[in-house]
Amino acid sequence: VLGAAAVKRVSARKAVRRELAVAYEDSGIDLLDNGKFAQGLPGADGAWGRYEFDPLGFSKKTELVPYFREAELKHGRLAMLAWVGMVAPDFVRLPGEKFSFEAVPVSIDAHDAFLGATGVNAQVLFWVSIVELCCAKKVFEWNSLEVAGDYGLTSLFPSDEEGQKKMRTAELKNGRLAMMAFAGAVTQAA
């Protein structure tokens, strides 16, 4: 029985590896290092030429590059939303005395001000968990690199390949900027 289970696990692992190899092949990337930075993915182009900054060597782990790209996109998108969520309450508030500028003059203090019986943190944790559970399947399917971060919301996406590459690069750069901006703003406000 143990021998059969071990054989089944090995064959399942080979099947997953085969699916990963097919996904890489479909997106034009070899499982072996092709010599390009981050396997040739967009995002290394800077205003003054290519900027291939990877001091820890994550881009050399070719089998994990799709997961890293998905994580980078996800963290960048969350940071962009977090930045908007941090700046917008300084200009616009929800109606009600509890949310007024007088009750909470600085938006960074809103977290501490709204802790209590309302269960705000539990609600946030619940809804973020729902979103994570919905998206986790896609992340762990090891989709090809061409569709990293693609959830089908492409109605405003350019139809030509050059325009798509430009939009992907812009999203990566804006996400990277938002991650640094949000981290800096929270650090300075603390």
Side-chain angles (χ1 to χ4, degrees):
V1 175
L2 288 176
V7 169
K8 192 174 185 179
R9 274 197 308 261
V10 169
S11 64
R13 199 175 309 135
K14 284 182 180 178
V16 169
R17 185 75 174 165
R18 173 76 181 133
E19 289 175 17
L20 178 60
V22 169
Y24 267 70
E25 191 174 294
D26 289 345
S27 62
I29 294 173
D30 296 324
L31 280 174
L32 300 174
D33 190 4
N34 64 6
K36 296 179 182 174
F37 180 75
Q39 301 305 310
L41 289 172
D45 298 325
W48 298 281
R50 292 191 58 80
Y51 187 70
E52 299 176 353
F53 181 73
D54 185 19
L56 298 178
F58 289 132
S59 64
K60 303 261 187 255
K61 297 176 168 67
T62 57
E63 66 276 359
L64 295 176
V65 169
Y67 178 78
F68 291 149
R69 176 49 52 100
E70 188 78 33
E72 182 180 22
L73 283 168
K74 185 177 199 174
H75 286 93
R77 289 171 180 171
L78 286 173
M80 288 186 271
L81 288 172
W83 178 252
V84 170
M86 186 172 184
V87 173
D90 287 335
F91 302 103
V92 179
R93 295 287 175 100
L94 293 173
E97 180 71 28
K98 180 178 171 178
F99 305 108
S100 69
F101 286 103
E102 291 79 27
V104 184
V106 182
S107 61
I108 198 74
D109 296 333
H111 177 271
D112 295 336
F114 296 129
L115 283 178
T118 58
V120 173
N121 289 338
Q123 287 182 29
V124 169
L125 182 61
F126 172 76
W127 290 111
V128 167
S129 298
I130 294 295
V131 170
E132 286 295 316
L133 288 173
C134 293
C135 301
K137 180 179 183 288
K138 182 191 177 309
V139 173
F140 292 110
E141 282 178 346
W142 295 95
N143 286 332
S144 69
L145 291 168
E146 291 178 349
V147 295
D150 182 11
Y151 293 100
L153 306 171
T154 57
S155 59
L156 300 175
F157 211 58
S159 57
D160 64 318
E161 191 173 322
E162 186 62 34
Q164 289 178 7
K165 183 178 179 184
K166 186 175 178 181
M167 287 290 284
R168 284 190 177 106
T169 303
E171 181 182 22
L172 281 169
K173 287 181 177 184
N174 288 326
R176 291 169 182 166
L177 176 64
M179 286 187 270
M180 297 307 296
F182 184 74
V186 169
T187 302
Q188 186 174 1

